[in-house]
Amino acid sequence: MNTITVASPKPLDPLDETTSLETAATTRALGPDILRALAILLVMLVHLPVEATPLPLAGIRPYGWIGVDIFFVLSGYLIGSQLMAEAARRRAIDFKAFYLRRAFRILPAFLLVLAFYALVPSLRDAPTMQPAWRFFTFTVNFGLDPRLGGTFTEAWSLSVEEHFYLLLPVLVVLLRRRATVVFVASLVATIVIAGMGQRFALWLSQVGPAVEIQAYREALATYLRDVYYPTYNRLDGLTFGVVLAAIRLFKPLLWERYMPPYIALGIGSMSVIAALVIFSIRGPFAETNLPLVFQPLPGAVFGFPLFSAGVAFFLGALVDLQPRIGRWHLPAISGIATLSYSLYLTHKGVYHLDQMVFGKDNLQGLSGFVIYLATCFIVAATLWFLVERNFLMLRDHLMPRSHRAG
C-alpha cells in the first residue's frame, strides 16, 4: 500500500505577533507575506470607487475580488500544515488548544468591529445589515443577499474560514491512519469536482432564469447569494492549500524533485493566467456593466479551482525560495501582511467614514486614493496595536509556548 510518510516538521511562519509592528514586519516568512500583502491590497482596491482609482490601477481593480481566493489558499496551507504536523508528531490533535488559538486570533478584532456596526448605525457602509446573530454564528454567508444586508458583507469569507477551522481538525484525525496517496487524491478530486458540479447546477437553476429575462441586477444578487458566498462552493482555495501542505510535509522529496521553484512558478503562472482569461470572458454580459465578480457559467465553474491551483503552486515556490528572498529587507510587504486582518475588517467602513468627514466630492482622483490608503492604514494599525496585539499577548501568557503556533 502506498502510504504517506511524514517528514520532520519545519517552522512555517516565524511570526511572534506579540512584538511591535516593526519587529513583526521583519520576522515573518516573506514568501507567504508577499501573497498575503497582494491579497489585501487587491481586496481594498475592489472596494474603492472608480472615481478614486488611479488610472494605472483601473485595469486591475475589476479583478480585486480574487484577493479573497489568495487568502483561502494561504489559510489552507498554513492551518493544514500546523494540524497535520501536530497529528504526525503527537498522533493526535489538541482540539482545545487549536480552537483557543483561533479564537484569540480572530474573535477580538472581529467582535469589536461588529459592535461598532451594530451599535452605531451611522458607521454602517450600507443602508441595511444582516441580524447580529448571523455574524456571531458565522452563518452570514448563507442566504446573503447584499441588497437586504450590505453592511459588513466582507464577513462572508470569515464565515468560510470558521467552517474550515471546525472541519479540518476532525478530518485530519479521521484520515490519520488511512491517508494513502490514492485515498487522499480521490478525496481531493471529489471535493473539487463536487464544487464545480454544484456551481454549475446552481448557476443554471438560480442565476440562469434571471439572465434569460435580462434581470441582470437580480442575477448578480442571486449569483452572490447562491454561488459565490456559500462555504460549499468556495472550498477550492482551502483544498489546494491543504494539498500543498500535505505534499510538502509528507512527500517533501517528491515535491523537491518534480516541483523546483522555476517549474512551480511556471505552472502557477499558466494556471493563474488561464483563470484570468476565463474570468475576463464576459460573453453576453459584456455590455451589462455588471462587476467582474459576477461570472458567466465557465468562470463560475472552472475559474475558481484553476486560479486556486495556480496560487498554490506560487506559494510552494515562494516557500522554497525563502532562504534566498528571506534576506531581502522588505518591511513594507511584511508590515502590510501583518495588518492584513485589521485592514480586511475595516477598509469598507473606513471609506464610509472618509465620505462623512471629507465629503464624497473630495474623494476623487489621486487625492481620494491617498486619503483612502492613509486612513485605512491608520485605523488598521490602531486596531492591531490596541486589540490584535494585546489579545495575542494574552494568549501567549495563558497558553504554553508549544501551543501558540497559528
Side-chain angles (χ1 to χ4, degrees):
M1 182 177 293
N2 192 10
T3 57
I4 295 177
T5 55
V6 64
S8 300
K10 299 180 180 180
L12 298 167
D13 196 357
L15 168 62
D16 179 1
E17 292 172 294
T18 65
T19 58
S20 68
L21 180 59
E22 180 181 1
T23 303
T26 57
T27 57
R28 300 178 64 109
L30 183 60
D33 274 355
I34 290 174
L35 290 179
R36 191 179 285 112
L38 174 63
I40 188 57
L41 291 175
L42 285 171
V43 171
M44 292 171 64
L45 183 61
V46 77
H47 290 136
L48 181 66
V50 174
E51 58 268 18
T53 303
L55 186 60
L57 299 177
I60 301 173
R61 180 183 174 277
Y63 297 89
W65 55 276
I66 64 176
V68 173
D69 296 271
I70 298 175
F71 277 128
F72 284 156
V73 176
L74 285 166
S75 291
Y77 173 70
L78 295 171
I79 301 301
S81 296
Q82 293 160 10
L83 289 172
M84 288 185 288
E86 181 182 1
R89 183 177 62 252
R90 300 176 61 246
R91 303 292 181 181
I93 289 177
D94 189 333
F95 284 84
K96 179 181 177 180
F98 173 75
Y99 290 128
L100 279 175
R101 290 198 306 268
R102 292 290 90 201
F104 274 106
R105 180 71 184 89
I106 299 297
L107 293 182
F110 170 74
L111 293 177
L112 179 61
V113 174
L114 177 60
F116 274 106
Y117 279 129
L119 301 176
V120 189
S122 62
L123 298 179
R124 297 176 184 177
D125 54 272
T128 56
M129 181 176 175
Q130 295 287 318
W133 68 267
R134 297 285 303 277
F135 294 94
F136 285 127
T137 57
F138 291 101
T139 57
V140 73
N141 66 319
F142 295 116
L144 174 57
D145 187 332
R147 298 171 302 177
L148 305 177
T151 294
F152 205 23
T153 53
E154 57 268 40
W156 77 267
S157 64
L158 299 181
S159 299
V160 174
E161 297 256 7
E162 289 299 318
H163 304 155
F164 173 66
Y165 300 152
L166 287 174
L167 293 176
L168 186 64
V170 177
L171 187 61
V172 169
V173 170
L174 292 177
L175 294 179
R176 186 176 63 83
R177 293 185 177 181
R178 63 176 65 181
T180 64
V181 172
V182 173
F183 184 87
V184 172
S186 300
L187 178 62
V188 170
T190 300
I191 293 173
V192 174
I193 293 173
M196 294 168 62
Q198 286 178 140
R199 291 191 297 272
F200 178 83
L202 288 167
W203 201 101
L204 286 180
S205 63
Q206 304 299 322
V207 183
V211 171
E212 289 178 3
I213 62 174
Q214 298 184 350
Y216 293 123
R217 290 298 162 183
E218 176 72 23
L220 171 61
T222 304
Y223 171 82
L224 292 173
R225 183 192 66 201
D226 295 338
V227 178
Y228 187 76
Y229 290 145
T231 300
Y232 46 77
N233 286 332
R234 302 312 310 274
L235 297 176
D236 304 274
L238 295 165
T239 299
F240 282 110
V242 173
V243 168
L244 175 65
I247 294 174
R248 292 184 57 84
L249 185 63
F250 297 110
K251 295 291 184 180
L253 296 180
L254 188 68
W255 175 269
E256 183 178 352
R257 175 178 297 177
Y258 294 105
M259 282 296 151
Y262 69 93
I263 292 182
L265 288 174
I267 296 175
S269 298
M270 289 188 291
S271 298
V272 168
I273 291 172
L276 293 177
V277 169
I278 293 175
F279 288 146
S280 66
I281 298 174
R282 307 297 289 161
F285 308 106
E287 305 300 325
T288 62
N289 293 321
L290 290 175
L292 201 63
V293 68
F294 175 81
Q295 280 296 305
L297 191 59
V301 175
F302 302 105
F304 293 120
L306 192 58
F307 180 79
S308 297
V311 174
F313 279 110
F314 266 115
L315 177 57
L318 289 172
V319 173
D320 284 337
L321 292 171
Q322 178 62 29
R324 302 179 190 175
I325 66 177
R327 296 192 294 265
W328 299 352
H329 185 65
L330 299 174
I333 296 294
S334 295
I336 294 171
T338 301
L339 295 177
S340 60
Y341 182 52
S342 289
L343 283 167
Y344 190 83
L345 292 174
T346 59
H347 70 281
K348 283 180 66 181
V350 167
Y351 189 79
H352 175 66
L353 286 175
D354 289 342
Q355 290 178 312
M356 295 172 61
V357 173
F358 299 100
K360 187 174 181 179
D361 293 339
N362 295 319
L363 294 174
Q364 300 183 14
L366 182 59
S367 60
F369 180 70
V370 171
I371 291 172
Y372 173 66
L373 278 186
T375 51
C376 281
F377 278 96
I378 290 171
V379 171
T382 302
L383 183 62
W384 188 87
F385 275 109
L386 297 182
V387 179
E388 282 195 73
R389 179 174 176 267
N390 285 328
F391 274 91
L392 289 168
M393 291 175 64
L394 178 62
R395 179 196 68 180
D396 290 354
H397 176 72
L398 296 175
M399 299 181 68
R401 178 170 292 275
S402 60
H403 290 163
R404 295 178 190 174

